[in-house]
């Protein structure tokens, strides 16, 4: 079965620092996608970044980058130069052939950014 | 703003009742997904529709049903509500089943 594991329930960082949110996954599929979503306290789910299993380069979107290590089955999110507005819950998710097209989510990591 | 709309934003009802949640996907998106987010279960996939047809089912209870209409909006019907059904219900859409999913703002259901 497919599974996403986020082992950090909470992370604390100061403004302008970089932070890494961990995500490991388990799948027997050869083709799959990895996603990160941000959920602020208002509740909406905001798509941040996507990495395909066959992508050779790590994905980047502005201050977000995905550190994809396929052999280790990890897909960590790196946020550079943290801002107060980054305080939120972050979810790692995957979508693979076995689960059809539905996203499977981890339990999330709460990021708190202080000034 | 993802372009996905959900109504209502909040819903408070009593046990045993029936409610309908509505979702309008982004313009041009044929796929609609429903997810449930609760404190104990986290984010769980419920059901997926593509261009009016059911494509996949996840952890959806028999008391729950959904449909996608010709104009591509979707409704999630929850019946015989229990306290444990209290959750945030998200709809997400994508242009094709394998594409990125864009989430609506969610409907927060409270069952008293």
């Amino acid at each position: 079965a497919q599974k996403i594991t986020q082992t950090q329930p909470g992370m604390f960082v100061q403004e302008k620092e970089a932070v890494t949110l961990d995500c490991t996954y388990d799948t027997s599929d050869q083709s799959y996608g990895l996603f990160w979503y941000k959920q602020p306290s208002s509740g909406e789910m905001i798509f941040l970044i996507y990495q395909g299993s066959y992508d050779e380069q790590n994905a980047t979107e502005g201050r977000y980058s995905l550190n994809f290590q396929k052999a280790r089955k990890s897909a960590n999110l790196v946020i550079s130069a943290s801002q107060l507005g980054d305080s939120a819950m972050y979810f790692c998710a995957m979508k693979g052939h076995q689960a059809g097209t539905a996203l499977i989510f981890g339990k999330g990591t709460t990021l708190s950014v202080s000034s | 703003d993802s372009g996905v709309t959900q109504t209502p934003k909040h819903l408070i009802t009593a046990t045993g009742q029936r409610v309908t949640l509505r979702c309008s996907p982004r313009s041009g998106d044929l796929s609609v997904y429903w997810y449930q987010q609760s404190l104990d279960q986290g984010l769980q996939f419920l059901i997926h529709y593509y261009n009016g047809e059911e494509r996949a089912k996840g952890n959806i209870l028999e008391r729950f049903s959904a449909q996608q209409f010709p104009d591509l909006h979707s409704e999630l019907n929850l019946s015989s509500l229990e306290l444990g059904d209290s959750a945030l219900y998200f709809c997400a859409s994508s242009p094709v089943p394998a594409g990125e999913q864009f989430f609506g703002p969610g409907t927060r259901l409270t069952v008293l």
Side-chain angles (χ1 to χ4, degrees), chain B residues 26-112:
Chain B
R26 295 185 322 156
S27 177
D29 285 358
L30 301 179
S31 271
V32 169
Y33 307 79
W34 287 97
Y35 293 88
Q36 178 196 58
Q37 185 179 29
S38 62
L39 283 175
D40 53 346
Q41 298 290 333
L43 267 158
Q44 290 197 102
F45 164 66
L46 295 178
I47 198 163
H48 169 216
Y49 277 84
Y50 176 75
N51 203 19
E53 293 187 4
E54 182 186 302
R55 276 293 187 95
K57 271 187 172 179
N59 297 320
I60 188 166
L61 300 171
E62 285 190 11
R63 300 183 286 108
F64 296 1
S65 65
Q67 53 183 326
Q68 187 179 26
F69 294 87
D71 67 351
L72 300 178
H73 91 272
S74 177
E75 292 181 355
L76 179 67
N77 301 295
L78 315 176
S79 61
S80 302
L81 285 167
E82 301 175 0
L83 296 177
D85 298 327
S86 295
L88 188 53
Y89 291 84
F90 285 107
C91 161
S93 77
S94 71
V96 292
E100 296 168 15
Q101 295 181 20
F102 296 89
F103 282 73
T107 293
R108 187 169 296 281
L109 173 67
T110 303
V111 182
L112 301 175

Side-chain angles (χ1 to χ4, degrees), chain A residues 16-106:
Chain A
K16 300 179 186 176
E17 289 183 350
V19 61
T20 298
L21 306 184
D22 295 341
C23 172
T24 57
Y25 61 91
D26 189 21
T27 181
S28 56
D29 285 349
Q30 297 301 309
S31 176
Y32 50 88
L34 296 155
F35 303 77
W36 278 90
Y37 285 84
K38 172 184 178 182
Q39 187 177 37
S41 58
S42 53
E44 72 262 39
M45 294 288 285
I46 303 167
F47 166 74
L48 295 178
I49 197 166
Y50 164 80
Q51 178 86 40
S53 58
Y54 289 115
D55 294 341
E56 294 186 356
Q57 302 285 335
N58 285 342
T60 59
E61 289 286 349
R63 294 185 299 111
Y64 304 108
S65 61
L66 199 152
N67 185 0
F68 181 46
Q69 297 188 45
K70 196 170 182 177
R72 293 187 173 187
K73 292 190 175 178
S74 75
N76 299 338
L77 178 70
V78 180
I79 305 175
S80 63
S82 297
Q83 301 172 357
L84 294 178
D86 293 334
S87 293
M89 179 79 90
Y90 288 80
F91 290 96
C92 180
M94 77 178 295
K95 189 167 65 174
H97 176 71
Q98 281 187 14
T101 57
L103 288 167
I104 297 168
F105 287 88

